[in-house]
Amino acid sequence: MPDMHALRRARSGLAATAAAGSVLAALFAATPAQARTADATAVGGSQVTCTSQRPGLAARLSKDIAGALHGREHAAALALYDRTTGTSCGFRADTAFDSASVVKVTILGALLRQSMEQHRALTAHEVELTTAMITKSDNDATNALWHQIGHTGIQHFLTLAGMRDTVPGPKGYWGHTQVTAGDQLKLLRLLTSDNSVLDRDTRTYALRLMNRVVPEQRWGTPAGAPATATVQVKNGWLPRDTHGWRVHSVGVFTGGGHDYGMVVLSQDNRAMADGVATVEGAARAVNRDLNTSTAA
């Protein structure tokens, strides 16, 4: 005959499990997954398009970025992601620009990928060159690494990274590499998340160098960034006869509850200061909106 006490205990356990399941079901029903909202604001002949899982943030960002770029919309591009709020924005993100020195992060990525495939650490000389290239934007160090990696090595990294719109500069002119805001954002995402292209050690190394950029070169995307964020940045600036000054900035913001990246590219600037003002105007709008939203 069955043990009646055991049956009663089993039934009691089943009832408790069913009750707990009902509570969980009620909780999930009360907190549905946040819906992604989208918004677009026209500026010139293009649109700032944003999506977000945080209510109201997409509309605020698209409006404020458009306002910041008003009057410069034909000479700028922007792309951003924010993992904390599930937000992304783009403005002319597939438009090509001469890279200037922002390509140095790509060169660093290509070298780090090579070292992974060769199962080796960077040499002391490579550490010296990469440190000078990123923290001081040293061109001689960049020349040496560009030629060491070679066109094949650079292109191999671009292919792995999915940076299909990036075209290495011809005849060794790395500053004439064609880049887009969208591709630069892909690179920032690679540096800040687990992936098969760059392992944790190489990503940490790259971000550490970007965090150590010398003070006089820490303008651009860090403008208006919260003091609680760890800021990693690389900027580029290049004057040419056509399209004037190219002034660009890429940055990622981590730690302290922050996890976002931003790219702002510009050209047709009469002076470098004009380009810095364009980049920082957009960056302040993004940093303010993302962090006001987070605080709220």
Side-chain angles (χ1 to χ4, degrees):
M1 292 181 65
D3 186 331
M4 299 307 294
H5 293 291
L7 282 174
R8 290 191 189 100
R9 288 195 299 270
R11 287 169 183 156
S12 177
L14 287 172
T17 301
S22 297
V23 171
L24 288 173
L27 285 173
F28 282 120
T31 55
Q34 289 179 310
R36 180 175 292 274
T37 59
D39 194 89
T41 301
V43 54
S46 303
Q47 288 189 324
V48 180
T49 303
C50 297
T51 63
S52 181
Q53 291 179 345
R54 189 177 291 272
L57 183 55
R60 186 185 313 142
L61 276 167
S62 64
K63 177 183 177 183
D64 290 348
I65 293 170
L69 294 177
H70 180 69
R72 299 288 298 137
E73 62 269 15
H74 299 298
L78 178 147
L80 75 92
Y81 70 84
D82 179 23
R83 295 189 179 100
T84 304
T85 59
T87 299
S88 61
C89 291
F91 174 70
R92 302 178 72 234
D94 58 353
T95 301
F97 291 75
D98 286 335
S99 68
S101 287
V102 294
V103 75
K104 293 173 181 178
V105 183
T106 300
I107 296 170
L108 175 61
L111 176 67
L112 293 172
R113 177 65 195 184
Q114 274 193 350
S115 71
M116 284 176 55
E117 293 181 352
Q118 295 166 0
H119 306 288
R120 66 174 182 84
L122 296 184
T123 67
H125 186 52
E126 288 170 336
V127 169
E128 179 183 353
L129 291 175
T130 54
T131 300
M133 177 176 70
I134 299 297
T135 66
K136 300 178 182 179
S137 207
D138 186 275
N139 289 339
D140 290 337
T142 308
N143 288 336
L145 290 170
W146 179 265
H147 291 294
Q148 174 184 321
I149 299 164
H151 183 278
T152 300
I154 296 291
Q155 187 58 59
H156 177 59
F157 175 72
L158 293 174
T159 300
L160 292 176
M163 298 168 66
R164 297 178 181 84
D165 295 326
T166 300
V167 181
K171 300 178 181 179
Y173 290 108
W174 45 262
H176 297 176
T177 296
Q178 296 299 289
V179 299
T180 65
D183 266 8
Q184 289 293 292
L185 199 71
K186 288 180 182 178
L187 179 57
L188 298 185
R189 285 182 179 274
L190 277 179
L191 293 176
T192 55
S193 63
D194 292 338
N195 61 83
S196 61
V197 181
L198 295 173
D199 62 23
R200 183 180 299 275
D201 288 343
T202 57
R203 298 195 311 270
T204 298
Y205 180 75
L207 291 174
R208 185 182 301 125
L209 291 183
M210 293 172 69
N211 178 247
R212 290 170 50 199
V213 165
V214 293
E216 58 268 27
Q217 294 182 20
R218 297 187 69 81
W219 46 267
T221 49
T228 52
T230 300
V231 177
Q232 291 96 177
V233 64
K234 184 68 193 83
N235 297 324
W237 56 98
L238 173 70
R240 296 189 68 184
D241 292 338
T242 58
H243 294 297
W245 279 84
R246 286 85 166 145
V247 180
H248 313 316
S249 183
V250 303
V252 288
F253 306 83
T254 57
H258 308 285
D259 188 2
Y260 64 99
M262 178 185 353
V263 177
V264 188
L265 309 178
S266 73
Q267 62 183 17
D268 293 316
N269 298 292
R270 291 174 296 178
M272 181 175 171
D274 297 328
V276 173
T278 295
V279 171
E280 292 193 340
R284 284 193 182 92
V286 169
N287 283 317
R288 180 185 65 244
D289 287 354
L290 287 181
N291 293 290
T292 297
S293 174
T294 300

